[in-house]
C-alpha cells in the first residue's frame, strides 16, 4: 500500500500521523512497539470482554462502547483532578493547531525537555514522549509536565480518528486478517484486533503504527482500555496503588501491574490463604503480560527494575522477540544481578509457567508444533490448564519421545524453559504451596541453581528417615515430568555441575546432551570414577525418573509399541494422571523373560532396554517404585539400619520368610528374575569382573543369561581372582536360593515337573534337593528300570548338591543345629570353602549331641559319595586329574588312597586323604567298602559292640578292632579279610589311623615316641617305637593294643610294613611260591631263619629276630585267653613243629596209657565176676 499523504488525512492530528510515518519513528520503533503492545493489548482485552462472542473466537462483546471524551480515569468529565486541561491539550483536537503543535513548545515541559532530551528529538512529539517516559527512575519531572503528557496520551487513545489512520495504513493487512476485517468500525475494536494479530502483520508501516500506539498506551495502566474497570476492585483490595491522576508519576504506574501480577502468582502458590483475583482481571493481567512478551520495554516495572542489569549483562542484545528477557533469565542467579531485577524476572517466569503465551519466543517457535500435535484440543481440560507451560512441555515432549517431528527452534525453546523450571523451584506454584513445610525445616537457604529442588527430591526419596507430604511428592513428580531432565541431563543444572568431572572421564565417548549420559552415570554409580556429590544428585533425580517410564526417553522409544500391545497403555494419554507409578515398567519386565512357549514376549530392542533399567534399579531399592511401596513397612521393621549400598534389598531377601505377603511377593519375583539374569545384580557383577574375565568370559558374553554365569561364579568361588566382595555376593545369592527352589533358575527349569510330581508343596530348595536325592537313591538301590527323576533333573540335582557342600549355611537345618557349636569352637573360622564343616569334623568329640549327629550323617553321605566332600575335591583336584580320571566318582577316595604313597602325590592332598582315612577308621559305617565286604562278619563277631552303639556317635574303631582280632584268628570271610588287611597295613604305617591305639596310648605316644610322632612320616615309626618300648608301657590298655599289633603282624607280614620292607627281597626269593595271607609268608620267613642253608638279608634277619623276641615276651605277658588264642600262638610259633611233635607224642603216650589201663581194668572186673 502506498504511503498516505498529508492532504488525504487533513483531519488526522498531525503529531500523531507525522510521527507514525516519519523515518525517525522506525529508529525508535523498538521501544514504541513494546509499549504499544502492552497498552493496546489491555485495550483489546477490555474490548473483548465487552463484546459478545463472535465468529472469530476472541470473545469480544457487541455492546456499543463510545470512545470517551477527555476525562479523568474515574470517568468524571472535565478537568483531570480539578486541574484544567492545558491549552496545548485542547488544541490537539483542533485541526488548526494540529498541524504545528509540538510538545517541546509547551512551557510546562520546556525545562524538563532541555534537561533530559536531546535537541534533535524536540521536533517529534513521540520521540519527546519516549524520552520523558524512559528517564531514569530517580529523575523527577514537573507535575504540570507529567499531567500534560498523560492527557496528551489519553486524547490520542480516545480519539476515534486514529482508527481511520489504521484503516488506511493497514488496509492490505486488514484484508488479509479475516478476524479484523469483520470487526465493527468506529468503536476501537479494529486496533485491538490488529494488536492481537500483530505477529502476523508483515506490512512495515502498519506494524510501526500499531507499535507506536501500543507504546503510548502501555506507559500507564490507566490508559489501557478497560483495564482499570476490570481490575479496580482488586487494585483497591490489594492496595496496589492509587487510581487518581497526579498521585503517582508515570514511572510508578508500572508498579500497579507488577503488584497485580505478584498477587496472581501468590494466589496460585497460596490458594485459600491469598486474595482471589476476579477472573476478568486475571485475563487482563495475563493479556498484558502476553502482549509485552516480545520487548521488555513494555513491561514497565521490569524495565525500570532491570535497566542497569540489562546494560551489565545484555548490552549487546537487541530488543524484540523476547531476546532481552531470555538474556536476563540466563543471568538471573549471577551474583552481580540486582535483587530487584531478580524478583521482577522471577515474577515474569511465574507468569510464563501459568500461561506459555507470556513467552514470546516460545509461543512463536512452537505455534505450528502445538497445532500439529493437537496440544490444545483436549476438551476435557479447562483452558487455564491447556495454557500452562507444563502442559505444553508434556505434550510436545511426548511427541518427541514418540519419534514425531518437532521443529529444532521449538525444541531449543523447550530446553530453555525446562532448565528454568529445574533451576528455580519457586516457578512451580504447586511446590511452593505443598512443600512449604519441607523447605522451611530441611531445605532453607538453598534457593539458587536447583539446590532447593534437589534437597526436596532428597527428602522425597526418604533419605535419612525423612518423609514428605503426598501432595509435595506429587508436585515434585509433576515438575520432573514437565522438565524431563532424563532426555538431557544439562537441564538439571545441579546435576550437571556435580557430575561434570565424571562425565568428562567415564562418559566422554557419549555426545553431550545425549540421554545415554544418565545411563552411563548410573553404570558408574558406586565405582571409583564416581564422586559423592554426583552420586547423591543422580540418585535424587533417578528416584523420580523411575516412577514414570516416559521420563527415560530411550526406554519409551523402544518399548512404546510393546507397552501398548502387552500393557494396554493406549488407554492412558500422555498427560494422564491415572497411570500408577511404575505400573508400565512392571508390566514390561514381567514379559521380558518369557520363553517362546509362554508367548507374548517383548521385542528384542525393548528387552535390552528393560534389562538396562533393571540393572540400574538393582543399585538402590528406592529406584523400584513397586518394591518400595509394598515393602515400606518391612524396610522400617527389618532393615532400618541397612543404609549401605545394596544392603536394603539383601536385607529384605534375608528376611523373606518374615515379610508381609505383598512385599514377599515382590521380593520373591525380583529374586527369581535375578537368578535368570544375574546382570541385574550390577554391584555383584562389578565386584566379580576379575573372575568373570578369567574364568567365565564365555558365558558372560551370552546375550541371554540363563543362570550359567552364576553357576560359573560358584564353581570358581575360590580362585585367586575372586575378591572378598565377589565371594560375599555370590554366597549371599546362594543363601537366598535356599529359601525357594524357584530362585535357582537352572534347577527350576530342569526339575520343575519333577518337583510338582514327586515333591509337591515343598518350597525350600534344600528340602526339594533332599526329596529328589532320596528318590534317586531309592530308585538306584532298588535297581528300577526307569528312574522317576528325569535325566536333566538328575544332572542339575548333582550340581546343586555339590554347591551346597561348599558352605554349611547352604544347609540351613545343619547350620541351625550347629550354630552354637560354631560360635563356641570355630569362631575364628570363616564360612565358605567348607572350612566351617572341616572345623566341626575335627572337633566332633566336643560337639553337642544334635550337632554331632548331623555332622556324622553328613560325613556318612560324603563317604558314600566322595564328590560331595568339597574340601577333598578342591584340595585333590589336580591329583584326581592325574591318578583318577577313569575312576567312578563314588570310588574317588579309594583311588586316591591307593595312590597316596606315590612320589607324585601332592603333600596337601596326601594330608587330606589321611584325614579321611582317620575318619573312616573311627566307624565302619563311614567306610562303605568295608561295610559291604563285612556285612555278614560284623554281626557275627561284633554284635556286643553293635548292641551298645548309638546312631549319633562313632564307635571309635571298636568294630574295626574286633574285625582285626578275627583277622588274626583267620576267621573272616575272604572279602572282609582283604579289606581288614588293607586297614591293618595303612594303620601300621600311620598310628593315627588306629583310633583304639590313639585312645589307649594317648600318654605313651608323646612320652616314649615324641620324635616319631612329630615327624608324621607315615612309615610306621611310631608303631615300631611302641613295640620296641613294650616293656616301658605302664598302662595295660595301651600294652594290650601293642600286643594286638604284634599278634596281627604274626598273622600276615603285609600288615607289618617295617618288616615287610626289610624282607621284601627275601620274600621274593625264598617265599615266592607261598600264597599271601593267613600267616603263610610269615611262616616261610621264620622257617628260612631257622634253616642254616638260607642266608637272609641282614636287615630282614634282624627284624625277624626282634619280632620273635617280641612274640616271646607277648606270650609271657599275655597268655592265651582261649583255645583259639592258644592254637594261634602254636601255629605262629617258630617252634611250631617241635611243639606239635611234643603235643602229638603226649597224646600218643596218653592213649597208650589209657589203653593199658583199660585192659588191666577189664581183667580185674572179669576176675571179680568169676568169683
Amino acid at each position: 500500500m502506498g504511503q498516505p499523504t498529508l492532504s488525504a488525512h487533513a483531519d488526522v492530528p498531525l503529531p500523531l500521523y507525522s510521527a507514525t510515518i516519519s523515518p525517525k519513528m522506525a529508529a525508535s520503533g523498538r521501544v514504541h512497539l513494546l509499549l504499544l503492545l502492552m497498552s493496546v493489548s489491555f485495550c483489546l482485552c477490555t474490548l473483548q470482554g465487552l463484546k459478545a462472542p463472535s465468529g472469530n473466537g476472541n470473545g469480544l462483546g457487541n455492546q456499543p462502547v463510545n470512545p470517551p471524551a477527555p476525562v479523568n480515569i474515574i470517568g468524571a468529565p472535565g478537568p483531570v483532578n480539578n486541574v484544567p486541561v492545558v491549552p496545548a491539550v485542547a488544541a490537539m483536537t483542533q485541526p488548526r493547531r494540529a498541524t504545528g503543535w509540538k510538545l517541546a513548545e509547551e512551557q510546562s515541559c520546556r525545562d524538563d525537555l532541555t534537561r533530559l532530551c536531546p535537541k534533535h528529538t524536540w521536533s517529534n512529539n513521540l520521540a519527546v514522549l519516549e524520552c520523558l517516559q524512559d528517564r531514569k527512575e530517580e529523575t523527577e519531572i514537573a507535575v504540570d509536565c507529567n499531567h500534560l503528557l498523560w492527557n496528551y496520551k489519553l486524547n490520542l487513545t480516545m480519539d476515534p480518528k486514529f482508527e481511520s489512520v489504521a484503516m488506511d495504513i493497514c488496509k492490505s493487512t486488514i484484508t488479509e486478517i479475516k478476524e479484523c476485517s469483520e470487526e465493527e468500525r468506529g468503536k476501537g475494536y479494529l486496533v485491538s484486533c490488529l494488536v492481537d494479530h500483530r505477529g502476523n502483520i508483515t506490512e512495515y508501516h502498519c506494524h510501526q503504527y500499531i507499535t507506536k500506539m501500543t507504546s503510548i498506551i502501555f506507559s500507564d495502566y490507566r490508559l489501557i482500555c478497560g483495564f482499570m474497570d476490570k481490575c479496580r476492585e482488586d487494585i483497591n483490595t490489594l492496595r496496589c496503588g492509587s487510581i487518581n491522576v497526579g498521585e503517582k508519576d508515570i514511572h510508578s504506574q508500572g508498579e500497579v501491574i507488577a503488584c497485580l501480577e505478584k498477587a496472581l502468582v501468590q494466589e496460585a502458590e497460596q490458594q485459600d490463604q491469598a486474595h482471589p483475583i476476579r477472573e476478568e482481571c486475571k485475563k487482563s493481567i495475563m493479556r498484558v503480560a502476553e502482549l509485552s512478551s516480545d520487548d521488555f520495554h513494555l513491561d514497565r516495572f521490569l524495565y525500570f527494575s532491570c535497566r542497569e542489569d540489562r546494560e551489565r549483562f545484555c548490552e549487546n542484545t537487541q530488543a524484540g522477540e523476547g531476546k532481552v528477557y531470555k538474556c536476563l533469565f540466563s543471568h538471573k542467579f549471577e551474583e552481580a544481578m540486582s535483587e530487584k531485577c531478580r524478583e521482577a524476572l522471577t515474577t515474569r517466569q511465574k507468569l510464563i509457567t501459568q500461561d506459555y503465551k507470556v513467552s514470546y519466543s516460545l509461543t512463536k517457535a512452537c505455534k505450528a508444533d502445538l497445532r500439529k500435535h493437537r496440544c490444545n484440543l483436549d476438551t476435557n481440560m479447562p483452558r487455564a490448564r491447556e495454557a500452562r507451560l507444563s502442559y505444553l512441555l508434556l505434550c510436545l515432549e511426548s511427541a518427541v519421545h514418540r519419534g514425531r517431528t518437532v521443529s529444532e527452534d521449538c525444541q531449543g525453546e523447550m530446553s530453555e524453559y525446562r532448565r528454568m523450571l529445574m533451576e528455580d523451584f519457586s516457578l512451580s506454584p504447586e511446590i511452593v504451596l505443598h512443600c512449604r513445610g519441607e523447605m522451611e525445616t530441611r531445605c532453607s537457604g538453598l534457593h539458587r541453581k536447583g539446590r532447593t529442588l534437589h534437597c526436596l527430591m532428597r527428602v522425597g526419596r526418604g533419605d535419612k528417615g525423612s518423609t514428605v507430604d503426598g501432595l509435595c511428592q506429587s508436585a515434585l513428580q509433576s515438575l520432573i515430568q514437565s522438565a524431563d531432565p532424563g532426555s538431557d541431563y544439562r537441564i538439571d543444572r545441579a546435576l550437571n555441575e556435580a557430575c561434570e568431572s565424571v562425565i568428562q572421564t567415564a562418559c566422554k565417548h557419549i555426545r553431550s546432551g545425549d540421554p545415554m549420559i544418565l545411563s552411563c552415570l548410573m553404570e558408574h554409580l558406586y565405582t571409583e570414577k564416581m564422586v559423592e556429590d554426583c552420586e547423591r544428585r543422580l540418585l535424587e533425580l533417578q528416584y523420580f525418573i523411575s516412577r514414570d517410564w516416559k521420563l527415560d526417553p530411550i526406554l519409551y522409544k523402544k518399548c512404546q509399541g510393546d507397552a501398548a500391545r502387552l500393557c494396554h497403555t493406549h488407554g492412558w494419554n500422555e498427560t494422564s494422571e491415572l497411570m500408577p507409578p511404575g505400573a508400565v515398567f512392571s508390566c514390561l519386565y514381567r514379559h521380558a523373560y518369557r520363553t517362546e512357549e509362554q508367548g507374548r514376549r517383548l521385542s528384542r530392542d525393548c528387552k535390552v532396554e528393560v534389562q538396562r533399567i533393571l540393572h540400574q534399579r538393582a543399585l538402590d531399592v528406592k529406584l523400584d517404585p513397586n518394591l518400595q511401596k509394598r515393602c515400606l513397612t518391612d524396610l522400617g521393621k527389618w532393615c532400618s539400619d541397612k543404609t549401605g549400598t545394596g544392603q536394603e534389598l539383601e536385607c529384605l531377601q534375608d528376611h523373606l520368610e518374615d515379610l508381609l505377603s505383598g512385599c514377599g511377593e515382590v521380593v520373591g519375583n525380583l529374586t527369581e528374575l535375578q537368578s535368570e539374569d544375574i546382570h541385574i545384580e550390577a554391584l555383584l557383577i562389578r565386584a566379580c569382573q576379575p573372575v568373570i574375565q578369567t574364568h567365565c568370559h564365555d558365558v558372560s558374553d551370552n546375550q541371554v543369561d540363563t543362570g550359567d554365569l552364576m553357576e560359573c561364579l560358584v564353581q570358581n568361588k575360590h580362585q585367586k581372582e575372586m575378591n572378598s566382595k565377589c565371594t560375599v555376593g555370590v554366597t549371599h545369592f546362594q543363601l537366598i536360593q535356599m529359601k525357594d527352589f524357584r530362585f535357582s533358575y537352572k534347577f527350576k527349569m530342569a526339575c520343575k515337573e519333577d518337583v510338582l510330581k514327586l515333591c509337591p508343596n515343598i518350597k525350600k530348595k534344600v528340602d526339594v534337593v533332599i526329596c529328589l536325592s532320596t528318590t534317586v537313591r531309592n530308585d538306584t538301590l532298588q535297581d528300577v528300570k526307569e528312574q522317576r527323576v528325569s535325566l536333566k533333573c538328575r544332572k542339575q540335582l548333582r550340581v546343586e548338591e555339590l554347591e551346597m557342600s561348599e558352605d554349611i549355611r547352604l544347609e540351613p537345618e545343619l547350620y541351625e543345629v550347629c550354630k552354637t557349636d560354631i560360635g563356641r569352637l570355630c569362631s575364628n573360622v570363616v564360612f565358605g570353602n567348607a572350612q566351617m564343616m572341616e572345623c566341626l569334623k575335627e572337633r566332633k568329640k566336643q560337639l553337642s549331641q544334635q550337632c554331632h549327629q548331623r555332622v556324622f550323617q553328613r560325613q556318612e553321605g560324603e563317604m558314600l559319595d566322595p564328590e560331595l566332600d568339597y574340601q577333598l575335591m578342591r584340595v585333590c583336584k589336580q591329583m584326581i586329574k592325574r591318578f583318577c580320571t577313569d575312576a567312578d566318582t563314588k570310588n574317588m577316595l579309594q583311588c586316591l588312597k591307593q595312590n597316596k604313597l606315590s612320589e607324585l602325590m601332592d603333600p596337601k592332598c596326601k594330608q587330606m586323604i589321611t584325614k579321611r582315612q582317620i575318619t573312616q577308621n573311627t566307624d565302619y559305617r563311614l567306610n562303605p567298602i568295608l561295610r559291604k565286604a563285612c556285612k555278614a562278619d560284623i554281626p557275627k563277631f561284633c554284635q556286643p559292640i553293635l548292641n551298645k552303639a548309638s546312631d549319633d556317635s562313632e564307635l571309635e574303631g571298636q568294630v574295626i578292632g574286633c574285625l582285626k582280632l578275627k583277622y588274626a584268628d583267620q576267621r573272616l570271610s575272604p572279602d572282609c579279610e582283604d579289606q581288614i588287611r588293607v586297614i591293618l597295613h595303612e594303620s601300621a604305617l600311620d598310628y593315627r589311623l588306629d583310633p583304639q591305639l590313639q585312645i589307649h596310648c594317648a600318654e605313651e605316644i608323646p612320652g616314649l615316641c615324641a620324635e616319631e610322632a612329630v615327624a608324621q612320616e607315615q612309615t610306621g615309626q611310631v608303631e615300631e617305637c611302641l613295640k620296641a618300648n613294650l616293656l616301658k608301657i605302664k598302662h595295660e590298655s595301651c600294652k594290650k593294643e601293642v600286643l594286638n599289633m604284634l599278634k596281627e603282624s604274626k598273622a600276615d607280614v603285609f600288615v607289618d610294613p617295617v618288616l615287610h620292607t626289610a624282607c621284601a627281597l627275601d620274600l621274593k626269593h625264598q617265599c615266592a611260591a607261598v600264597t599271601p595271607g593267613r600267616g603263610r609268608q610269615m611262616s616261610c620267613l621264620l622257617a628260612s631263619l631257622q634253616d642254616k642253608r638260607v642266608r637272609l638279608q641282614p636287615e630282614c634277619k634282624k627284624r625277624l629276630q626282634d619280632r620273635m623276641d617280641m612274640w616271646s615276651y607277648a606270650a609271657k605277658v599275655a597268655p592265651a585267653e582261649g583255645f583259639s588264642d592258644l592254637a594261634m600262638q602254636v601255629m605262629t610259633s617258630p617252634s611250631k613243629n617241635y611243639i606239635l611233635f611234643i603235643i602229638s607224642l603226649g597224646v600218643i603216650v596218653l592213649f597208650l596209657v589209657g589203653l593199658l589201663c583199660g585192659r588191666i581194668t577189664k581183667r580185674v572186673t572179669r576176675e571179680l565176676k568169676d568169683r
Side-chain angles (χ1 to χ4, degrees), residues 769-837:
V769 171
I770 293 173
C771 171
L772 293 176
S773 298
T774 303
T775 304
V776 173
R777 184 183 64 186
N778 292 339
D779 289 349
T780 303
L781 294 175
Q782 296 172 12
D783 293 328
V784 296
K785 292 183 178 179
E786 185 175 349
Q787 290 269 1
R788 286 176 289 174
V789 180
S790 63
L791 178 60
K792 64 178 181 178
C793 181
R794 292 202 302 272
K795 290 181 178 180
Q796 191 59 36
L797 183 63
R798 189 64 176 172
V799 174
E800 301 300 330
E801 289 175 332
L802 295 177
E803 289 182 4
M804 288 168 58
S805 66
E806 185 268 338
D807 194 323
I808 190 173
R809 292 173 297 179
L810 300 181
E811 298 185 56
E813 293 184 5
L814 173 61
Y815 177 59
E816 287 299 322
V817 168
C818 295
K819 187 179 289 185
T820 304
D821 297 279
I822 289 172
R824 180 167 53 90
L825 302 172
C826 306
S827 57
N828 296 327
V829 179
V830 296
F831 288 100
N833 214 8
Q835 294 179 92
M836 194 62 70
M837 178 56 68

Side-chain angles (χ1 to χ4, degrees), residues 171-237:
K171 186 174 183 179
S172 60
T173 300
I174 295 172
T175 306
E176 293 172 358
I177 302 175
K178 182 179 179 182
E179 292 85 349
C180 298
S181 64
E182 295 174 354
E183 291 290 352
E184 185 178 355
R185 301 294 188 267
K187 296 185 177 181
Y189 300 157
L190 176 61
V191 176
S192 296
C193 180
L194 289 173
V195 171
D196 248 357
H197 295 83
R198 188 177 53 149
N200 297 327
I201 297 176
T202 56
E203 190 177 357
Y204 174 76
H205 294 298
C206 177
H207 190 278
Q208 289 295 312
Y209 174 75
I210 296 298
T211 300
K212 286 293 181 182
M213 292 308 302
T214 307
S215 66
I216 294 173
I217 295 172
F218 266 63
S219 64
D220 193 326
Y221 78 96
R222 297 166 299 178
L223 299 176
I224 301 171
C225 177
F227 180 82
M228 193 197 68
D229 292 335
K230 294 180 180 180
C231 294
R232 180 195 306 271
E233 182 178 332
D234 295 294
I235 292 172
N236 288 328
T237 303

Side-chain angles (χ1 to χ4, degrees), residues 731-769:
T731 301
H732 176 265
F733 198 79
Q734 288 181 283
L735 294 174
I736 298 306
Q737 286 181 328
M738 293 296 108
K739 298 177 182 292
D740 195 323
F741 80 94
R742 295 178 300 119
F743 297 164
S744 298
Y745 179 75
K746 297 194 77 171
F747 182 56
K748 177 186 70 174
M749 298 306 294
C751 298
K752 184 165 52 179
E753 297 176 358
D754 300 274
V755 172
L756 292 174
K757 180 175 64 175
L758 301 170
C759 310
N761 304 321
I762 299 180
K763 184 178 180 181
K764 290 186 176 180
K765 179 180 173 181
V766 63
D767 295 334
V768 172
V769 171

Side-chain angles (χ1 to χ4, degrees), residues 991-1006:
Y991 75 98
R992 294 171 298 174
L993 303 186
D994 190 337
Q996 289 294 307
L997 181 66
Q998 276 192 291
I999 293 172
H1000 296 301
C1001 298
E1003 295 181 9
E1004 282 76 3
I1005 291 175

Side-chain angles (χ1 to χ4, degrees), residues 987-1031:
S987 59
L989 289 171
D990 191 342
Y991 75 98
R992 294 171 298 174
L993 303 186
D994 190 337
Q996 289 294 307
L997 181 66
Q998 276 192 291
I999 293 172
H1000 296 301
C1001 298
E1003 295 181 9
E1004 282 76 3
I1005 291 175
L1008 300 174
C1009 311
E1011 293 183 6
E1012 290 82 354
V1014 171
Q1016 293 186 359
E1017 295 181 357
Q1018 300 183 13
T1019 56
Q1021 296 303 315
V1022 174
E1023 291 83 346
E1024 198 66 20
C1025 171
L1026 288 173
K1027 292 174 185 177
N1029 291 281
L1030 182 59
L1031 296 176

Side-chain angles (χ1 to χ4, degrees), residues 364-380:
K364 180 180 179 182
C366 296
K367 183 176 182 180
D369 295 290
L370 288 170
R371 188 185 307 112
K372 177 180 179 182
H373 300 296
R374 306 172 68 86
C375 291
N376 52 3
L377 297 178
D378 194 339
T379 57
N380 296 324

Side-chain angles (χ1 to χ4, degrees), residues 98-113:
T99 57
W101 181 83
K102 297 286 189 295
L103 274 173
E105 297 173 355
E106 295 298 326
Q107 184 65 34
S108 58
C109 290
R110 186 168 299 165
D111 292 341
D112 296 304
L113 191 66

